[in-house]
Amino acid sequence: MPRKRALITGITGQDGSYLAELLLEKGYEVHGLVRRSSTFNRGRIEHLFTDAQVGSKDLVLHYGDLGDSNSLIRVLLTVRPEEIYNLAAQSHVDVSFDIPEYTGDITGLGTTRLLEALRSSGLPARFYQASSSELFGKAVETPQNEHTPFYPRSPYGCAKAYAFYLTRNYREGYGMYAVNGILFNHESPRRGENFVTRKITLSLANIYTGKQETLLLGNLEARRDWGYAKEYVEGMWRMLQRETPDDFVLATGKAASVRDFLEMCLQKAGIPFVRSGSGKDEKYTDSKTGRTIVAIDPEYYRPTEVDYLLGDPSKAKRELPWEAKTQLPELAQLMLEADFKAKGVKLPVY
């Protein structure tokens, strides 16, 4: 029986790398879309090429871009995939305020280009669109599920809302197998260094080893539903295995603040701390040395904040079935251990 072929856009990102691993383990032939640049950005998937059990026929990369329709059509007709996972995007919420037009073009219109390329190609591929809890933004109800109205609060959230509705429109208008996975925050040691959880774990490893003085953060009160990315890609795959297409929320059903995650990591890193001040004057100092280890920088405040996101994954648990297993303390431990190891030291045991 021929192996299934899957195409992953954003394969070099956190989710793309974990999804590629999962599909290769399941015997897929995996193809990835990568942008041409002067430097390679393939650190998250490099091990897949060096693994003795993964040959070039199992994992193939193709140059293309969500901003270039011709490249998308070319890759689709070359690969002829049975499954497409659209994970590529300008995915940083804060950055989207600085480059809103680019965010809209790639995150929003890029989905249009890929869906239209798939429709015009006539290929019967199943299509997964990476949606986001940022769709809910200033949430009108808690917890948020598949029926909660959207209220995005950033250019990124708005672009994702456009992509969500377009995916649903192609499903209903053209009978395409197209689904949205509304994933709440999901983290890992492969998370980008400018996302707050990874920024915290990496900075604490740097502070512990004397390579950084102070960690600068913004809104510590923002509460999010945080899970483990490696588990969430399993949910993506399960969405495309169902007989009929539908949209699903993936979440843990538990929320914690940035402050909660920060203090959890400080404790696990063995850094004794004292809090003082409030608002932009708040800081964390090392209770032994008196050195400021965490401070607030208003530059990290967003024009419109999202205060509280909490997902209801009951539909996914019931119908996929899928559920998150790794809780936040375990996730913090995983991320800290990886960043400390990268600095040549072991995470202290307490």
Side-chain angles (χ1 to χ4, degrees):
M1 183 176 178
R3 292 186 301 165
K4 277 189 176 180
R5 287 187 301 277
L7 174 65
I8 304 172
T9 73
I11 192 172
T12 59
Q14 170 190 249
D15 292 5
S17 66
Y18 282 123
L19 179 60
E21 285 180 352
L22 176 72
L23 296 181
L24 288 168
E25 288 170 3
K26 292 182 179 296
Y28 279 63
E29 180 183 313
V30 177
H31 296 258
L33 190 74
V34 294
R35 289 179 297 169
R36 179 69 177 91
S37 65
S38 58
T39 58
F40 278 178
N41 178 28
R42 302 178 188 175
R44 295 184 180 96
I45 59 172
E46 192 64 37
H47 66 288
L48 297 178
F49 291 101
T50 57
D51 189 324
Q53 297 185 5
V54 177
S56 59
K57 293 182 180 179
D58 298 320
L59 178 60
V60 182
L61 301 182
H62 305 264
Y63 285 120
D65 197 297
L66 289 186
D68 178 18
S69 299
N70 287 332
S71 70
L72 299 179
I73 293 171
R74 172 181 52 79
V75 171
L76 285 179
L77 292 178
T78 299
V79 176
R80 307 186 75 82
E82 283 93 356
E83 295 176 5
I84 299 170
Y85 297 86
N86 184 30
L87 311 185
Q90 190 301 101
S91 60
H92 197 281
V93 175
D94 197 31
V95 172
S96 77
F97 287 101
D98 296 325
I99 49 173
E101 182 179 344
Y102 177 79
T103 300
D105 184 39
I106 300 303
T107 307
L109 287 177
T111 305
T112 308
R113 297 184 185 103
L114 186 53
L115 278 167
E116 186 59 16
L118 176 58
R119 186 189 71 82
S120 62
S121 74
L123 295 171
R126 297 186 172 195
F127 181 89
Y128 171 87
Q129 168 61 21
S131 288
S132 166
S133 60
E134 290 293 325
L135 294 170
F136 300 118
K138 191 176 181 181
V140 300
E141 65 182 23
T142 299
Q144 297 90 47
N145 61 35
E146 292 81 2
H147 301 291
T148 302
F150 298 156
Y151 196 154
R153 299 272 282 173
S154 67
Y156 170 77
C158 293
K160 281 293 188 183
Y162 172 88
F164 175 94
Y165 284 120
L166 196 79
T167 300
R168 179 177 285 181
N169 188 258
Y170 270 66
R171 179 171 76 221
E172 295 174 352
Y174 300 115
M176 294 170 63
Y177 194 111
V179 307
N180 289 286
I182 308 174
L183 274 57
F184 280 66
N185 290 61
H186 45 290
E187 320 296 312
S188 76
R190 299 181 191 175
R191 190 60 146 148
E193 295 177 7
N194 57 349
F195 289 84
V196 68
T197 52
R198 182 72 196 291
K199 180 179 179 180
I200 288 171
T201 60
L202 180 59
S203 293
L204 292 186
N206 284 331
I207 289 169
Y208 187 88
T209 54
K211 295 181 174 64
Q212 182 176 334
E213 286 294 318
T214 306
L215 164 61
L216 300 177
L217 295 172
N219 179 16
L220 297 183
E221 306 308 329
R223 296 175 63 80
R224 295 290 186 273
D225 185 323
W226 275 308
Y228 183 24
K230 188 173 183 178
E231 296 172 354
Y232 281 51
V233 299
E234 172 82 22
M236 297 177 190
W237 175 78
R238 286 181 178 272
M239 288 182 211
L240 293 193
Q241 310 314 307
R242 301 177 75 247
E243 184 176 345
T244 56
D246 203 354
D247 305 323
F248 288 90
V249 163
L250 299 188
T252 68
K254 298 180 181 179
S257 67
V258 175
R259 184 189 303 281
D260 293 335
F261 186 81
L262 169 65
E263 294 187 358
M264 187 184 302
C265 289
L266 284 167
Q267 291 168 356
K268 288 179 179 295
I271 301 175
F273 63 88
V274 174
R275 282 172 49 189
S276 62
S278 61
K280 63 182 178 61
D281 297 318
E282 183 178 5
K283 63 181 180 179
Y284 284 71
T285 56
D286 187 316
S287 59
K288 287 185 178 179
T289 66
R291 181 169 56 119
T292 299
I293 47 178
V294 181
I296 302 301
D297 186 345
E299 285 292 318
Y300 292 112
Y301 291 157
R302 296 169 181 169
T304 46
E305 291 284 355
V306 173
D307 299 319
Y308 183 31
L309 294 177
L310 174 65
D312 174 8
S314 56
K315 180 181 175 183
K317 184 177 181 179
R318 182 177 65 252
E319 297 186 22
L320 289 178
W322 175 91
E323 64 179 315
K325 295 180 174 62
T326 303
Q327 300 302 313
L328 193 58
E330 301 170 73
L331 181 57
Q333 183 81 17
L334 279 171
M335 295 175 69
L336 280 168
E337 284 178 349
D339 280 326
F340 270 65
K341 183 179 179 180
K343 300 300 175 184
V345 294
K346 284 188 175 182
L347 186 67
V349 178
Y350 293 91

